[in-house]
Each structure stands twice: as structure tokens, then as C-alpha cells.
Amino acid sequence: MEYHTSEGTFQVGEEPYLLTPGPLTTAISTKAAMLKDWGSWDDDFKAVTAEIRSRLIAMCGGEGTYDCVPMQGSGTFSVEAALASFIPRDGKALVLMNGAYGGRAAKTLEYIGRDYIALDKGDYLPPMPEEVEAILSENQDVTHVVAIHCETSSGILNPLKGISDVVQAAGRKLIVDSMSAFGALPIDVSDIPFEALVSSANKCIEGVPGFGFVLAKKAALEAAEGNSHSLSLDLYDQWSYMNKTGQWRFTPPTHTVVAFLEALRLHEAEGGVAGRNARYVSNRDILVSGMRRIGFETLLEDEWLSPIITTFFSPRDHKFDFNRFYNEIKSRGFIIYPGKLTVADSFRVGCIGALDATVMKGVLKAVEESCAVMGVTEFGPPDGVK
Ligand SMILES: *Cc1c(COP(=O)(O)O)cnc(C)c1O
């Protein structure tokens, strides 16, 4: 398919692959779904919204007791909406932090004026269930625990099941930022009975950006009335209006929503969460073993590596220059992601999106060629870093 726009002519499917944690590379049929215009109040569009909500509820096993509230904006808008709507103004949160997104949750609580304490594990260590248990028993006034499922800034997969167990045992409520994990890592409410879980269109479901969604207990949504400081981010209001009218309260990103339904159908055709997980795990395994063969080292031990994104230390070789590396790889058809560590220079390579084994092998070849062009021969991290 060749397209002509004011930016020039391009071939769909020939742009670089995005090895990033979203926005990511989407399927052609997901892009094609956006070629139609929709009336946001029309029954056909209402049916799209309803189907999306019920598919997402089914994905976490929440039929009957949970509901799904889509929210305009990027994922952060939905996280803020959830924190403001579910944590009452006199509530108090414990934020489990080990990277940028835990940090952002804490910053959000500051903005919206909710009291919180934090367990900060730095860049790459997981918050352990025993630690959470101890903090909860010392802080009886904590009402909600905010956990990041996969902390995308390092790629660490946090021990959510263990955290959920201690939160339930202590009688507190769990809010999960599963932005970069939902749809690819199994999470079922019979196992992890979260109060609310947040994700967005452009991560593991492989849609395009424009909205997020919150899966929450119906009882929590009922109780959220009047909590939010913000009209546009009020989940209770969005939920009750949507249940009454079938419509979004304010203009929805119609093209994004319709593309997302196509992405959900592709997700189902791939075998649902299990199928998607298998492809991402295979992508990650090809990537990590290939990079280690070249000589690169991962930030994390194998136990904590997610199938979402992997952080590699930048090589100690003084000939390595990240900007040049990035551009060499881009000229070979792949876009990687800078690192976000405070301890050492690093870069990240994502495994999510419409990518398969052939693409991952292509990335490895591009990395090898790019290092050869720069004359890099020493790939390990600088001494003292690991
Ligand atoms: C992507 C992501 C977000 C949301 O980021 P946006 O840029 O607002 O879409 C939040 N938490 C995690 C863990 C993420 O990976």
C-alpha cells in the first residue's frame, strides 16, 4: 500500500520497526481500521465501545463483579484518574517504587493531595512481599497499595502475586499499574483480586495511542462518587454516564477506539494472553541470548527479566556512542530506546508490538553491524557497575 500525504509518499509496513514499550509497531489491519470516520453518539460506535469493555473484563476473569472504564488520554491520565477516584481524600497510599513509573504515581498523589508513603527500591530491585507486609503492619492508616506490574523503566517484572497476597491478608486495597503488562502477562481476579488495574491502548494489546482503561470492582466504582478532584478524570462520572448512555462523556478518540477493537480481535486470534505471552517470551529469549552472545550484559538477573522490555548496559568501549548506535540501527530499520538508569549508561530494547522472531534476528544483526561500524570490541559494562 502506497500513501501520498503532504509529508511525502510512504509504503505502509516499510517504516522502521519500533522496539519500544509503546507506541509500538501495529498490524496493518489495526492501522487500516482507522480509515473510517465514526459518529461518537452513533449506535455502531456505541457497540464498539461495549465490545471493547466486555472483552477487557473477560481478559481478567472479571465478569459479573468487575467493570471496565475507558478514559481518553495516554496511560498516565488513566493512572491519575484511578488514584483520584479510588483513594478517598482522607485515604493514604503506600507506593511501591522501583523506577520512573512508581515515581510518577507518587508525584501524581502529591499533585492531587492524597497522603502517601513509599517503599523505594531504587533502579532495579523488586519490592518484596515481606517488606510490604511489614510496612502495612506498622502503618495501619494505609488504605491502598499502589504497585507497578512491569516497571518499564528497567523492564523488571515485580512479584505482583506475593504483593497482592499480603495486601489482601492485611485487609487493604490494591491498585495496579499494569500498563505495560496487561494482555501479555496473565492476571486473573480470582488469583489477584485487585481493586483497580490500569492499562492503555498502545501497549501489549498492540493498539495505537489515545486512551487508557481501568478495570475495577463495581463496588469500588460505586464508592468512588465524589472522590475525584478533576471533572475530566472522574472515573465514577465516566462510568455512570457510559452505563446510562453507551457513550463516552466527552469526545472519544474514535479512530483509536476502533483500531483497538481490531487489535483485540487479533489478540484473540493469536490465542489470547497465553498466545501473546508466548510470542513475547520467544522475542525476549532470542534478543537476550543473541545480545549475550555478542557480549552485552543485561541489567537484571534472569529471574526478574520481563518479556516486555530488556535493559542492556552500554559497552565500556570508549568507541561506543549511543546516539551514533541509535542512528546506525535506525538506518537498518529498527528503533530502540534510551535507558533510564541512574547507576550506569544503558539502553533498552522492547519485545512487544507486531514483532516476531525474524524481526528480533534482524535487530541482532543491526546491533552487530552498528558496533562493527563504530569499531566497538569490548561489550561488557564499565568496571564496578556490575
Ligand atoms: C507506558 C506506561 C505508563 C503510561 O505512560 P504514558 O506515556 O502516559 O502512556 C504508565 N506506567 C507504565 C508502567 C508504563 O509502561
Side-chain angles (χ1 to χ4, degrees):
M1 275 192 286
E2 196 174 78
Y3 279 87
H4 305 276
T5 72
S6 57
E7 296 274 289
T9 299
F10 70 98
Q11 291 287 131
V12 172
E14 296 204 345
E15 61 270 38
Y17 286 101
L18 301 176
L19 285 291
T20 58
L24 35 67
T25 296
T26 57
I28 301 274
S29 67
T30 300
K31 294 187 241 287
M34 293 186 286
L35 288 172
K36 194 175 149 185
D37 302 316
W38 298 72
S40 60
W41 32 260
D42 186 77
D43 283 345
D44 292 343
F45 186 72
K46 288 186 195 170
V48 171
T49 300
E51 184 175 344
I52 285 173
R53 292 174 71 196
S54 63
R55 280 175 177 267
L56 292 170
I57 294 165
M59 210 177 279
C60 70
E63 295 99 328
T65 46
Y66 281 74
D67 211 342
C68 172
V69 191
M71 179 58 82
Q72 295 93 331
S74 83
T76 302
F77 292 60
S78 287
V79 174
E80 180 164 341
L83 296 177
S85 302
F86 296 121
I87 303 174
R89 293 178 195 214
D90 60 355
K92 183 171 177 177
L94 165 62
V95 183
L96 308 180
M97 284 167 50
N98 57 344
Y101 292 102
R104 190 178 296 175
K107 190 172 180 185
T108 305
L109 292 170
E110 257 159 49
Y111 263 74
I112 67 178
R114 297 296 190 280
D115 198 11
Y116 75 94
I117 52 175
L119 168 64
D120 186 356
K121 299 300 300 276
D123 270 351
Y124 53 86
L125 294 174
M128 296 306 284
E130 312 80 79
E131 297 173 295
V132 177
E133 191 174 29
I135 295 172
L136 290 180
S137 82
E138 281 159 27
N139 294 272
Q140 292 295 331
D141 57 344
V142 165
T143 53
H144 292 73
V145 175
V146 180
I148 313 294
H149 194 174
C150 170
E151 177 47 84
T152 323
S153 48
S154 64
I156 191 169
L157 185 53
N158 284 322
L160 191 63
K161 169 66 179 157
I163 291 168
S164 169
D165 287 350
V166 299
V167 171
Q168 303 311 320
R172 317 302 166 86
K173 291 168 175 163
L174 181 65
I175 298 178
V176 185
D177 171 352
S178 186
M179 202 71 64
S180 63
F182 188 74
L185 293 168
I187 178 161
D188 195 285
V189 299
S190 63
D191 192 34
I192 299 182
F194 54 79
E195 192 78 351
L197 175 148
V198 188
S199 188
S200 75
N202 61 280
K203 303 259 168 140
C204 297
I205 313 283
E206 301 184 358
V208 302
F211 73 98
F213 53 88
V214 180
L215 290 158
K217 285 183 178 156
K218 286 180 182 168
L221 284 159
E222 296 280 5
E225 184 171 9
N227 282 349
S228 181
H229 63 296
S230 158
L231 170 67
S232 57
L233 296 177
D234 187 341
L235 278 181
Y236 172 83
D237 209 38
Q238 178 92 324
W239 176 65
S240 55
Y241 183 84
M242 205 172 259
N243 281 356
K244 242 178 273 146
T245 64
Q247 296 176 34
W248 301 51
R249 275 178 313 167
F250 311 128
T251 302
T254 46
H255 299 79
T256 296
V257 172
V258 172
F260 188 68
L261 179 56
E262 173 63 15
L264 278 169
R265 290 177 177 153
L266 296 176
H267 183 271
E268 182 183 17
E270 191 176 8
V273 174
R276 184 125 316 168
N277 182 271
R279 176 162 58 84
Y280 290 174
V281 165
S282 155
N283 286 350
R284 191 263 328 266
D285 289 349
I286 292 168
L287 174 73
V288 169
S289 62
M291 291 292 280
R292 285 180 177 158
R293 210 175 310 119
I294 298 169
F296 285 93
E297 289 186 26
T298 59
L299 164 73
L300 301 170
E301 304 298 332
D302 288 2
E303 180 188 2
W304 303 110
L305 284 180
S306 67
I308 307 300
I309 189 165
T310 304
T311 300
F312 296 95
F313 286 114
S314 294
R316 69 168 78 93
D317 198 311
H318 68 273
K319 289 190 187 128
F320 182 85
D321 170 54
F322 178 77
N323 288 331
R324 183 150 177 227
F325 183 61
Y326 178 94
N327 286 318
E328 290 289 347
I329 291 179
K330 182 177 173 187
S331 73
R332 289 165 175 79
F334 306 94
I335 285 184
I336 61 167
Y337 215 54
K340 246 189 189 178
L341 297 183
T342 50
V343 287
D345 287 340
S346 62
F347 61 92
R348 292 176 287 171
V349 185
C351 307
I352 66 178
L355 315 169
D356 60 11
T358 310
V359 175
M360 300 319 283
K361 287 173 189 160
V363 177
L364 292 169
K365 185 159 175 273
V367 167
E368 263 189 304
E369 287 176 7
S370 305
C371 287
V373 169
M374 288 190 288
V376 170
T377 53
E378 287 190 89
F379 295 91
D383 290 335
V385 161
K386 210 186 175 192

